[in-house]
Amino acid sequence: MSKLITGGLGFIGVYLAHALLQKGEEVVLFDIMSSSPLIKDIKDKVKIVQGDLSSWAEVMEVVKKNKIDGIYHTGALLSASAEEKPITAYNVNAGGTFNILEAARLFNVKRVVYTSTIASYGLGLNTVDEDTIQMPISMYGVTKVFSERLGEYYQRKFGVDFRAVRLPSIIGPGRGAGGASAYSTLMISEPALKRPYSAFVEEDVIMPILYIKDCVDCLIRLYEADNARLKRRVYCIEGFSPTAKEIYDEVKRILPTADIKFKPDRELTQIVRSWPKYLRETKAFEDWGWKTKYLLKETVKDFIEEVQAHPEIYG
């Protein structure tokens, strides 16, 4: 039996694949793409199936043919692309989740773990948790809220073991440069590669972020959690919420010669300021013992060490 990762060649998907392989799992990666530079060292250890989440037939085939017993559903059209192509986003994000849940129901998949987002909340919020009303303003956020509710429906109606986490922005080596949250990654990765970087936000902006290693750990921990302890289907993961200046200071502490400047873009800064600044993960701790481990100092230190150890991958 195998674990399926949708969006398997994406940033989270590849790191998750590494972690599952280390646990001795057989891993199938399902993605619209056919390759990723991050997959080089494990491409012979996983099965890569190129396919489209919006295709009912392709999703059914990959689950049935590979005897999938667990699914990590990380695949989605992300925020910027979803705004440019809302119809495609609906088909991939909402329709894709429906296809995954149907496959889980039809082929008796043991469990589905889904990655939701802080973008499912609305404007003007400072601190959010599982009980905060979700009023997303983006197509990406709308499809994530829909997918959460659909997963809960499949759990109630058909007994599909659906579990989800609402994540802050994920940072780490190999994350792309797209999106308004990318500064939090590039402020660390570029100096680690001895390159200058100009941050496009103001110094005092606050954004919740989660290191990729914590992200992967929480997905696996939630998958393995005792169902009897879970009081809900969706949990918030807190991460930590530094200002851009605090990230700058921590990078400069480790790399004193780092060339980082602030050249704010008004529109991008406003986007970041529109997001909630803090998440609470109290319920995740109470139900399945989760607590964010990599805070600012631990994240920056490990991030820099990983990039400098593998510049051929992350450069």
Side-chain angles (χ1 to χ4, degrees):
M1 305 297 279
S2 301
K3 298 295 185 291
L4 177 70
I5 304 175
T6 69
L9 293 177
F11 177 50
I12 294 175
V14 171
Y15 275 89
L16 180 56
H18 278 82
L20 290 175
L21 287 172
Q22 289 176 0
K23 291 175 66 66
E25 301 277 10
E26 294 182 6
V27 179
V28 178
L29 306 182
F30 184 78
D31 203 296
I32 196 73
M33 307 298 290
S34 60
S35 64
S36 164
L38 298 178
I39 208 76
K40 289 179 183 178
D41 58 332
I42 60 169
K43 65 180 180 180
D44 296 328
K45 300 176 183 178
V46 298
K47 182 175 182 179
I48 299 173
V49 178
Q50 190 172 13
D52 187 346
L53 272 171
S54 67
S55 169
W56 185 90
E58 291 179 21
V59 172
M60 297 300 139
E61 181 179 20
V62 73
V63 173
K64 181 181 180 181
K65 187 176 180 180
N66 294 282
K67 297 182 172 61
I68 299 299
D69 71 335
I71 299 174
Y72 290 89
H73 181 27
T74 76
L77 202 67
L78 299 179
S79 53
S81 299
E83 289 303 295
E84 292 173 5
K85 301 176 180 178
I87 295 174
T88 303
Y90 172 80
N91 291 331
V92 172
N93 297 6
T97 299
F98 172 79
N99 292 337
I100 286 294
L101 292 168
E102 267 293 277
R105 178 179 75 87
L106 292 171
F107 300 115
N108 298 310
V109 173
K110 179 181 179 182
R111 189 159 296 147
V112 177
V113 170
Y114 176 66
T115 52
S116 190
T117 173
I118 193 174
S120 65
Y121 295 103
L123 297 173
L125 299 171
N126 188 60
T127 304
V128 297
D129 63 11
E130 293 87 348
D131 298 323
T132 304
I133 295 174
Q134 294 165 286
M135 295 289 288
I137 61 168
S138 67
M139 188 61 177
Y140 176 64
V142 167
T143 59
K144 289 292 186 176
V145 174
F146 170 82
S147 295
E148 288 183 20
R149 302 293 82 77
L150 188 66
E152 290 169 337
Y153 173 80
Y154 264 75
Q155 191 269 332
R156 288 192 305 269
K157 181 76 173 178
F158 305 114
V160 172
D161 189 350
F162 172 85
R163 306 171 178 195
V165 286
R166 289 181 198 148
L167 299 171
S169 178
I170 309 302
I171 73 169
R175 185 205 149 149
S181 63
Y183 75 89
S184 56
T185 281
L186 299 174
M187 285 180 72
I188 305 170
S189 61
E190 292 301 283
L193 292 164
K194 299 181 179 179
R195 297 196 293 239
Y197 179 67
S198 296
F200 50 73
V201 295
E202 295 170 352
E203 294 185 15
D204 67 335
V205 298
I206 295 173
M207 181 177 68
I209 55 183
L210 183 71
Y211 191 43
I212 185 63
K213 291 185 179 181
D214 259 348
C215 175
V216 166
D217 189 31
C218 85
L219 293 175
I220 294 174
R221 289 274 302 279
L222 179 56
Y223 185 98
E224 295 176 346
D226 181 355
N227 210 25
R229 295 185 60 187
L230 304 184
K231 298 185 175 109
R232 60 185 61 237
R233 294 291 109 189
V234 183
Y235 290 90
C236 286
I237 302 299
E238 186 171 318
F240 56 100
S241 297
T243 64
K245 180 62 163 56
E246 286 172 336
I247 299 174
Y248 170 92
D249 289 341
E250 189 58 29
V251 173
K252 291 287 283 185
R253 188 182 69 81
I254 298 173
L255 301 172
T257 60
D259 184 3
I260 310 171
K261 297 180 175 64
F262 285 92
K263 294 185 178 179
D265 177 284
R266 183 178 177 182
E267 183 178 351
L268 290 172
T269 296
Q270 287 178 339
I271 290 173
V272 177
R273 288 194 189 281
S274 74
W275 298 335
K277 295 179 176 62
Y278 304 96
L279 286 87
R280 292 197 188 101
E281 60 184 30
T282 307
K283 293 179 177 65
F285 176 73
E286 291 172 350
D287 290 5
W288 45 285
W290 171 259
K291 188 172 179 59
T292 296
K293 301 174 192 66
Y294 285 86
L295 302 179
L296 179 61
K297 287 186 177 182
E298 295 85 357
T299 293
V300 173
K301 179 178 183 294
D302 191 81
F303 193 151
I304 290 173
E305 289 174 354
E306 289 283 349
V307 170
Q308 291 182 336
H310 305 285
E312 73 285 357
I313 298 176
Y314 305 120

